[in-house]
């Protein structure tokens, strides 16, 4: 679908545990779209920040407070942001003292010649430096996230196996033709302490370029990082290597699994093109997401993998 300014969000490509959880994810997606569209008049960067901040605060989602926990029981958050007009980007990893790491990533985009990707220990100083509210590490942890980790540890689940909760992300196109991308996550549930997936890594977890569009990914971080999927997908669009943006998304996602010959890298993505085409796509079992335009048109949906 193509029609000018739009906000697109996803609530992640992981497998959820119940229908009640799926409904709550859709509440998060709908709220993020409302927040994103309300901010769109201030530009696409404001829109993606507002959408992701909403999902970081929606504690059932895997971002901000309530994020998936590492195997050692700690919450260490990752986030990324990119502005398509300037191609400046920011990334943070291992955040333990802030409920809204996307705001830190967005501010880091202003640093240096191209932006900045920062991890511990200095990442813990950013809330004070940028005037973003800080929190204690334990304030990121909810009873639900702890219970999920305990169940998985007791069941001796392989780290990274489903259900692993979900990253959240947003892309937007504004009335001036600019695009932006933002992503936030606790990473894969039961991850090894210190592990970094795709989400905060520019080109893998997110990409935005006004000449083409913007994309954010969700799913198996190691597979997405290996293929640089966000940039790869938008390059397929830019070079016309796929017939449509939807076909480019299909191809970028197929590349995550075809080399291995199995589904371990199955993931998802959302994208918006400079023309306003919107794609939500996944080869994981399920993914929640939606889009909304300032004219009031919108869609909020839980996607299931197509048979075959
Ligand atoms: N991509 C995230 C990571 O690997 C997890 C997710 O999207 O669910 O950290």
């Amino acid at each position: 679908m193509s029609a000018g300014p739009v906000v697109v969000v996803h609530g992640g490509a992981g497998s959820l545990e119940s229908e009640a959880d799926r409904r709550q994810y859709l509440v998060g997606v709908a709220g993020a779209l409302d927040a994103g569209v309300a901010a769109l008049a201030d530009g696409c960067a404001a829109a993606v920040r507002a959408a992701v901040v909403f999902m970081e605060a929606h504690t059932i989602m895997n971002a901000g407070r309530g994020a998936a926990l590492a195997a050692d029981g700690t919450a260490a958050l990752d986030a990324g942001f990119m502005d398509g007009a300037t191609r400046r980007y920011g990334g943070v990893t291992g955040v333990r003292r802030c409920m809204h790491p996307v705001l830190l990533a967005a501010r880091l985009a202003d640093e240096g010649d191209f932006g900045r990707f920062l991890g511990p220990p200095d990442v813990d100083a950013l809330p004070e430096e940028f005037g973003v509210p800080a929190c204690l590490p334990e304030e990121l942890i909810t009873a639900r996230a702890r219970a999920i980790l305990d169940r998985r540890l007791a069941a001796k689940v392989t780290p990274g196996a489903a259900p692993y909760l979900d990253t959240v992300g947003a892309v937007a196109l504004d009335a001036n033709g600019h695009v932006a991308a933002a992503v936030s996550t606790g990473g894969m549930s039961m991850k090894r302490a210190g592990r970094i997936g795709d989400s905060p890594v520019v080109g893998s977890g997110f990409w935005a370029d006004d000449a083409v569009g913007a994309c954010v990914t969700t799913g198996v971080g190691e597979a997405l990082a290996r293929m640089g999927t966000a940039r790869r997908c938008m390059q397929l669009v830019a070079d016309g290597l796929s017939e449509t943006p939807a076909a480019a998304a299909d191809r970028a996602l197929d590349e995550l699994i075809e080399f291995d010959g199995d589904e371990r890298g199955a993931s998802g993505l959302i994208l918006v093109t400079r023309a306003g085409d919107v794609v939500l796509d996944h080869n994981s079992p399920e993914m929640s997401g939606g889009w909304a335009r300032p004219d009031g048109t919108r869609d909020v949906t839980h996607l299931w993998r197509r048979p075959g």
Side-chain angles (χ1 to χ4, degrees):
M1 68 223 68
S2 167
V6 65
V7 179
V8 192
V9 310
H10 74 77
S15 302
L16 299 179
E17 289 184 305
S18 69
E19 284 308 316
D21 284 0
R22 289 185 188 98
R23 281 194 295 278
Q24 278 308 309
Y25 266 67
L26 292 183
V27 169
V29 165
L33 289 173
D34 289 343
V37 168
L40 196 54
D42 294 327
C44 53
V48 295
R49 277 197 310 266
V52 170
V53 161
F54 185 92
M55 292 188 281
E56 287 176 333
H58 192 58
T59 57
I60 193 169
M61 293 173 130
N62 179 11
R65 182 170 142 74
L69 302 180
D72 65 1
T74 60
L77 311 180
D78 299 334
F81 167 86
M82 187 161 178
D83 177 50
T86 59
R87 290 200 195 169
R88 300 184 71 92
Y89 73 94
V92 286
T93 185
V95 175
R96 294 179 191 275
R97 294 181 176 272
C98 181
M99 292 188 187
H100 292 296
V102 73
L103 297 178
L104 307 179
R107 288 292 301 273
L108 278 176
D110 296 332
E111 276 202 18
D113 290 334
F114 307 103
R116 188 84 70 211
F117 179 25
L118 205 67
D122 285 18
V123 80
D124 284 332
L126 292 183
E128 191 179 352
E129 189 178 329
F130 292 154
V132 174
C135 72
L136 295 171
E138 51 272 26
E139 288 180 90
L140 295 176
I141 300 174
T142 59
R144 176 176 179 274
R146 182 71 233 184
I148 290 173
L149 178 66
D150 288 345
R151 280 201 297 279
R152 292 165 62 82
L153 289 171
K156 296 192 168 40
V157 173
T158 312
Y164 49 81
L165 304 181
D166 308 86
T167 290
V168 305
V171 293
L173 168 72
D174 65 26
N176 295 318
H178 299 309
V179 294
V183 53
S184 186
T185 188
M188 309 274 279
S189 175
M190 260 179 86
K191 67 183 179 184
R192 177 177 180 166
R195 172 264 189 193
I196 304 170
D198 61 306
S199 300
V201 181
V202 65
S204 299
F206 61 99
W207 181 256
D209 179 348
D210 277 6
V212 192
C215 177
V216 295
T217 58
T218 168
V220 182
E222 284 72 7
L224 293 158
R226 177 172 71 176
M227 298 306 291
T229 298
R231 172 115 205 267
R232 168 69 176 152
C233 181
M234 297 319 287
Q235 202 66 46
L236 289 167
V237 173
D239 294 346
L241 292 177
S242 297
E243 244 168 60
T244 61
D250 273 348
R251 181 159 161 191
L253 291 171
D254 283 348
E255 289 174 357
L256 294 171
I257 56 176
E258 61 195 12
F259 176 79
D260 303 299
D262 59 41
E263 306 278 311
R264 281 174 298 161
S267 293
L269 61 80
I270 56 173
L271 70 81
V272 63
T273 67
R274 57 185 290 213
D277 299 300
V278 167
V279 179
L280 295 91
D281 197 7
H282 67 119
N283 52 10
S284 60
E286 49 187 303
M287 183 173 93
S288 57
W291 56 268
R293 298 185 187 276
D295 65 7
T297 54
R298 66 199 260 128
D299 186 38
V300 173
T301 180
H302 194 86
L303 301 163
W304 293 94
R305 184 159 185 190
R306 301 178 295 274

